[in-house]
Amino acid sequence: MKEVLVVTLTIDELRGIVQEEVQAALKKSALKVWYSEAEAQAYTGYSKRTLYNARIDKSLKASTLNRHVRYHRDDLDTWMRSKQN
């Protein structure tokens, strides 16, 4: 049997919670500049294979360090904008 929890919040309380969560997410993403493959997948929504193919085709810049691929956030943003056209 599922338990149901009903919470009553005022608009201001809800706004405050949402604002705190948005600020926390922005701080977290603003600090991160280089992404691993898994993080790049989560950030872009594209599969590991799609990122790999873009890297091989030279349409997406990436750096490797000891066989670990890293993507710069600006390069991911540029690549995603080019995919929209």
Side-chain angles (χ1 to χ4, degrees), residues 4 8 15 26 29 41 46 49 55 61 66 68 83:
V4 177
T8 305
R15 261 192 206 114
L26 287 174
S29 69
Q41 284 178 261
Y46 287 100
R49 180 52 114 183
R55 197 171 71 237
K61 294 180 192 177
N66 296 334
H68 296 281
K83 299 269 299 168

Side-chain angles (χ1 to χ4, degrees), residues 35-51 71 76:
Y35 293 104
S36 67
E37 283 189 291
E39 292 168 330
Q41 284 178 261
Y43 181 74
T44 62
Y46 287 100
S47 69
K48 183 177 180 179
R49 180 52 114 183
T50 301
L51 294 172
Y71 298 95
L76 289 169

Side-chain angles (χ1 to χ4, degrees), residues 10-85:
T10 66
I11 296 293
D12 290 333
E13 290 171 330
L14 182 57
R15 261 192 206 114
I17 292 170
V18 170
Q19 192 172 29
E20 288 172 11
E21 290 299 317
V22 168
Q23 290 300 320
L26 287 174
K27 276 185 181 177
K28 184 178 177 183
S29 69
L31 297 176
K32 190 79 172 174
V33 176
W34 290 96
Y35 293 104
S36 67
E37 283 189 291
E39 292 168 330
Q41 284 178 261
Y43 181 74
T44 62
Y46 287 100
S47 69
K48 183 177 180 179
R49 180 52 114 183
T50 301
L51 294 172
Y52 171 81
N53 288 338
R55 197 171 71 237
I56 296 302
D57 295 341
K58 306 278 189 213
S59 62
L60 176 59
K61 294 180 192 177
S63 298
T64 55
L65 178 63
N66 296 334
R67 295 191 288 174
H68 296 281
V69 177
R70 296 290 184 254
Y71 298 95
H72 195 278
R73 185 179 60 225
D74 294 340
D75 294 331
L76 289 169
D77 291 339
T78 301
W79 178 70
M80 286 191 299
R81 279 193 294 273
S82 73
K83 299 269 299 168
Q84 290 177 349
N85 296 336

